[in-house]
């Protein structure tokens, strides 16, 4: 992942937004979460978890691991968000929620054999999904961080 660019973007967001939180995760917590969700995360998402764990800012978040606690199933937790959407909305088991949205969560699609799977948007009303980004890193930089910079810059 392009951590230098990501750190620069995050510094720009932090300069505009006081309500910003990250919480790095350790490899044992990441492994426990993967076990709980019966999946293996791609390298880019694992790198995000080690570096940031979770990101909360301006009512936006990237689902991850809060406080290095793999048992946390609250909102914004990759475990909690994924299990809730699986239970309440029949989210397929090969999708892992990386950004919760009450109409259409963004998910890693782990169904293929690509080392860096695409990010898809799962439509809750139709139970269908479409690819919106070729991988987590592209989604994280282009969709999430760029959008967040626009949001906090306009405040």
């Amino acid at each position: 992942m392009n951590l230098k660019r990501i750190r620069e973007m995050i510094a720009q967001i932090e300069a505009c937004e006081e309500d910003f939180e990250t919480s790095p995760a350790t490899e044992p917590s990441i492994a426990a979460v993967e076990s709980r969700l019966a999946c293996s995360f791609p390298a880019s998402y694992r790198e995000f978890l080690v570096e940031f764990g979770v990101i909360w800012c301006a009512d936006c978040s990237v689902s991850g691991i809060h406080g290095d606690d793999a048992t946390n199933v609250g909102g914004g937790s990759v475990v909690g968000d994924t299990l809730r959407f699986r239970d309440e909305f029949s989210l397929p088991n090969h999708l892992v929620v990386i950004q919760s949205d009450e109409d259409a969560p963004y998910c890693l699609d782990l169904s293929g054999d690509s080392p860096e799977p695409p990010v898809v948007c799962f439509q809750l009303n139709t139970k269908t999904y479409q690819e919106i980004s070729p991988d987590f890193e592209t989604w994280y930089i282009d969709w999430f961080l760029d959008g967040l910079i626009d949001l906090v810059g306009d405040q």
Side-chain angles (χ1 to χ4, degrees):
M1 252 173 46
N2 187 344
L3 289 177
K4 181 178 182 215
R5 180 169 180 218
I6 290 168
R7 287 184 186 117
E8 289 169 355
M9 295 173 85
I10 287 177
Q12 187 177 353
I13 293 165
E14 285 180 305
C16 298
E17 180 63 46
E18 59 189 51
D19 185 22
F20 184 85
E21 174 192 343
T22 64
S23 173
T26 61
E27 284 296 331
S29 290
I30 295 168
V33 167
E34 288 176 318
S35 177
R36 179 97 187 260
L37 295 176
C39 70
S40 293
F41 296 138
S44 60
Y45 186 63
R46 290 180 75 81
E47 196 169 350
F48 162 81
L49 293 171
V50 167
E51 184 75 19
F52 305 106
V54 67
I55 288 185
W56 283 93
C57 180
D59 295 329
C60 296
S61 68
V62 176
S63 300
I65 301 172
H66 292 276
D68 199 33
D69 181 1
T71 64
N72 183 327
V73 294
S77 146
V78 66
V79 172
D81 290 344
T82 300
L83 294 179
R84 182 173 74 85
F85 281 99
R86 285 179 182 173
D87 182 51
E88 295 177 18
F89 301 102
S90 301
L91 181 78
N93 287 339
H94 65 273
L95 298 181
V96 173
V97 176
I98 56 171
Q99 186 178 33
S100 180
D101 181 293
E102 295 309 312
D103 294 321
Y106 295 108
C107 307
L108 292 171
D109 180 359
L110 304 177
S111 64
D113 57 3
S114 171
E116 287 295 330
V119 174
V120 299
C121 183
F122 182 74
Q123 301 295 321
L124 299 179
N125 57 343
T126 62
K127 308 291 189 250
T128 60
Y129 54 92
Q130 65 183 21
E131 182 176 320
I132 60 162
S133 185
D135 56 53
F136 176 77
E137 181 177 358
T138 303
W139 173 83
Y140 181 55
I141 292 171
D142 295 346
W143 281 73
F144 184 78
L145 291 176
D146 275 348
L148 198 52
I149 287 170
D150 290 345
L151 177 68
V152 298
D154 290 340
Q155 293 179 0

